[in-house]
Structures are given as C-alpha cells and as structure tokens.
Amino acid sequence: VQAALGNEVESSVSSTDSVTEVTADPSLTRLLSSMSLSVTKYVYKGEARKPSVTVGYSDRTIAKNITSSTTNVKITYGSGRTNVGTYRVRATGQSVFDFYCPEGATFNGSIVQTFKIIPRATTILASASKTKGFKVKWKKRTLQVDGYQVQYATKSNMSDLKTVTIRQNTTDAKTITGLKAKKKYYVRVRTYKKVDGKNYFSNWSATKAIKTK
C-alpha cells in the first residue's frame, strides 16, 4: 500500500528543479538574463547554507560565484537557511558609473532562485527474516526529522515497490508481514520532514536484500 503524505519534495534535486522568478519593468533595458546557484540541494547539518551565485546579462557573465553584492549586482539571501526547507536567493541589477561603457553600467531587473535543505539520511543497521515477512532496523534520526518511509519490492529495480510510512522519529524498526513465503525482498529506508505542508525526503539508504521464511 502506498502511503500518501500530501505534497512531496523529492530528495533528488538538480539545477533545473530550482524555482526561477524574473521581475522587471519591460520598459527598462539591460535586464539581468540568467542566474544560477552553485548548489541547489543541501543535506541538513545544523549550519547556515549559502550557495554562491552566478549572474548573466545577454551572452556574458557579469558576476561569477559570488556570495555578497558587487557594484552591479545586489545579492540577497533569505533568512535562516539552516533547517530543512526551501530558501530564496535574489539577484538585483544595480547602477554604477563606467567611463568606458557608452551605455553606462546600469543593470536592471531581478531574478530569484531557490535551493533546498533535505533531512539527513539513515542507514539500515540490521534485518531479520520472519515467516512471510521481515524486520528491518535503522539508525534513528531525530533532528529535523518527523518520521521514516520503508520501501520494499520483489525486484531489485524497485519497480513493484510498496511504501510504509512511520510518523514517529523515535521509531527505529519495522516488521512487515503478509508477504510471500521464501521470497527475496529488497528493502530501503529514508527520513522525511514536513515543512509548510510539504514533505522533504532524504536520500535513500543502501538497499538490503532479505528473504522471508
């Protein structure tokens, strides 16, 4: 049975998953055209995260791998950036005098990108075969974790998986029953944290093969 948790944010986040917002007065020129973050997914470590920013105008880079404002780009980070969740970084064009540039060095517009902090992963510590079932035990995580998900399948690619959700972060084991006898199952575990109605998931543990009795 697939256990639903509502809106989900998967742990595998690439640069294309980052939310981009562009704000500008269409009457203005020299608008910022691109923005990228050095990292779009962090794992929770209890410390503030601050990805560097690269900003472009037209076909050139005007600021590369910066973490503070420059003469032509203002960088603003959202508050916190420590706990699990989604955080915003804004790049805003600024005006500066440039004697060698006929147009001046005025850049306009604003671009926002986001990055995520996900919970720490867990590891499977032990497993035991049961009659038409199995028991799996994992490393308990309590900081910035609300609970766990256990997935199991009869195929190593997990294509026929089933998911069980444990909504207590102090739980560190689960027994699954009602399975086929003398059958190999592939099992993995991950943590999750719910923030503002969204569930953020850790990376999966290594998969463990268990054969039922």
Side-chain angles (χ1 to χ4, degrees), residues 131-133 179-185 211-213:
T131 301
K132 293 186 177 181
L179 306 179
K180 295 179 180 179
K182 302 184 185 304
K183 183 72 174 178
K184 181 184 289 186
Y185 285 84
K211 189 173 183 180
T212 60
K213 294 181 179 179

Side-chain angles (χ1 to χ4, degrees), residues 4-22:
L5 280 172
N7 296 328
E8 298 184 356
V9 177
E10 291 293 339
S11 61
S12 54
V13 181
S14 67
S15 59
T16 56
D17 294 314
S18 180
V19 176
T20 304
E21 302 173 11
V22 181

